[in-house]
Amino acid sequence: MNTNTMSYKVKQYLMFAGVTTFVFGAVVIVPFIYGLYLTFTSWDGISKTKPFVGFGNYVETFHDVAFWQALGRTFIYSIIAVVLVNVVAFILAYLVTSGVKGQNFFRAGFFIPNLIGGIVLGYIWKFVFNRAFVALGEATSIGFLSTSWLATTNGAMLCMIIVSVWQYAGYMMLIYVAGFMSVSSDVLEAAMIDGCTHIQSVVLISIPLMVSSFVQCIFLSITRCFMVYDVNLSLTNGEPFGSSVMGAMHVYNQAFTYKNYGTGQAEALILFIVCAVVGVLQVNIGKKAEVAA
């Protein structure tokens, strides 16, 4: 490749993607590198000096029991929420592509919760769990509704899962809708002619041909659930007794509440690595299943 061709390609790249590249580097790459540097310091977020402590923050992280408990809760919450989100989203996608009357209206309606910000969503559901359900329980004498679920350790986790499913299912539904619509009607008709029932055609034909949709939805669900913070903050704020503190909230508290920026950044890096490893493994396994299908 000669110099003129190289120069032309560089100019072309800068013209179409230069601004995007600069913004990406400024808001993603530079902060990431700076955050990586902070993991080796004991900066408190206020002082001008940033004392170098080497791997001291990582050692402290591995001895931070609260962090690993929060990470464990994040795993449990993510596994349950990811499964339920995708099951509900798949069922909704199946219903709104089955020719039901007003299916476009239902698609829009199921997607709306995803447009509501996590902070607002948390406060709305906090009112529902603390006031609406309790009032309903007292009026109908239903025991499990008579007290707020947010007041118990298991109940707070259940509330987090319910809100996450309600928020994310509509978005994932659209991806599954696209997957259903990508399946050729000729293939489905041929399966019907061969004697397949409607359910069999979905299980044996549609689902194997929609593996790419499953890969995308599961990956998006995992990353969103692993990094959940806004709903965690507004819905439970880590209560009761810190039993619903997720990984992202613990990292935020470590850095911005307790002013341990170095340790908080080290824990954030570990949380990112764990999420990235889980996400990459899931995508690789899904891609192999897609090829096999």
Side-chain angles (χ1 to χ4, degrees), residues 6 31-32 39 46 54 71 75 86 92 156 160 252 255 285:
M6 177 68 74
F32 181 83
T39 64
I46 301 174
L71 192 59
F75 264 105
N86 285 276
L92 293 178
M160 283 281 299
Y252 178 90
I285 294 172

Side-chain angles (χ1 to χ4, degrees), residues 77 156-164 228 231-232 235-236 246:
Y77 156 78
M157 181 71 77
L158 176 62
C159 291
M160 283 281 299
I161 293 171
I162 291 174
V163 174
S164 297
V228 65
V231 173
N232 193 188
L235 182 63
T236 69
M246 300 297 170

Side-chain angles (χ1 to χ4, degrees), residues 68-249:
W68 296 108
Q69 289 176 339
L71 192 59
R73 282 190 291 268
T74 304
F75 264 105
I76 295 172
Y77 156 78
S78 298
I79 291 172
I80 299 174
V82 166
V83 171
L84 292 179
V85 164
N86 285 276
V87 169
V88 172
F90 183 83
I91 293 174
L92 293 178
Y94 172 75
L95 293 176
V96 298
T97 55
S98 60
V100 65
K101 187 176 181 180
Q103 61 184 24
N104 290 333
F105 170 78
F106 287 116
R107 290 181 190 180
F110 293 140
F111 180 73
I112 286 176
N114 188 72
L115 302 177
I116 304 174
I119 295 293
V120 176
L121 194 66
Y123 284 121
I124 292 173
W125 276 94
K126 191 172 186 177
F127 171 82
V128 172
F129 289 126
N130 283 341
R131 300 293 182 86
F133 280 3
V134 172
L136 179 63
E138 292 176 349
T140 58
S141 299
I142 299 177
F144 69 91
L145 290 179
S146 299
T147 58
S148 174
W149 295 354
L150 292 172
T152 64
T153 56
N154 292 332
M157 181 71 77
L158 176 62
C159 291
M160 283 281 299
I161 293 171
I162 291 174
V163 174
S164 297
V165 172
W166 190 78
Q167 181 183 19
Y168 299 144
Y171 180 78
M172 305 306 163
M173 176 201 68
L174 294 184
I175 300 177
Y176 285 124
V177 166
F180 273 112
M181 296 178 68
S182 68
V183 178
S184 173
S185 58
D186 295 336
V187 176
L188 296 176
E189 289 175 4
M192 293 292 186
I193 294 172
D194 288 338
C196 280
T197 64
H198 197 66
I199 298 299
Q200 287 176 328
S201 66
V202 171
V203 175
L204 301 176
I205 305 297
S206 298
I207 290 179
L209 294 176
M210 291 173 57
V211 174
S212 60
S213 297
F214 283 98
V215 172
Q216 295 175 45
C217 287
I218 294 174
F219 176 78
L220 291 173
S221 303
I222 289 174
T223 52
R224 288 189 174 199
C225 290
F226 248 96
M227 297 299 177
V228 65
Y229 175 74
D230 47 4
V231 173
N232 193 188
L233 175 66
S234 58
L235 182 63
T236 69
N237 197 26
E239 301 299 333
F241 313 115
S243 61
S244 63
V245 174
M246 300 297 170
M249 174 173 280

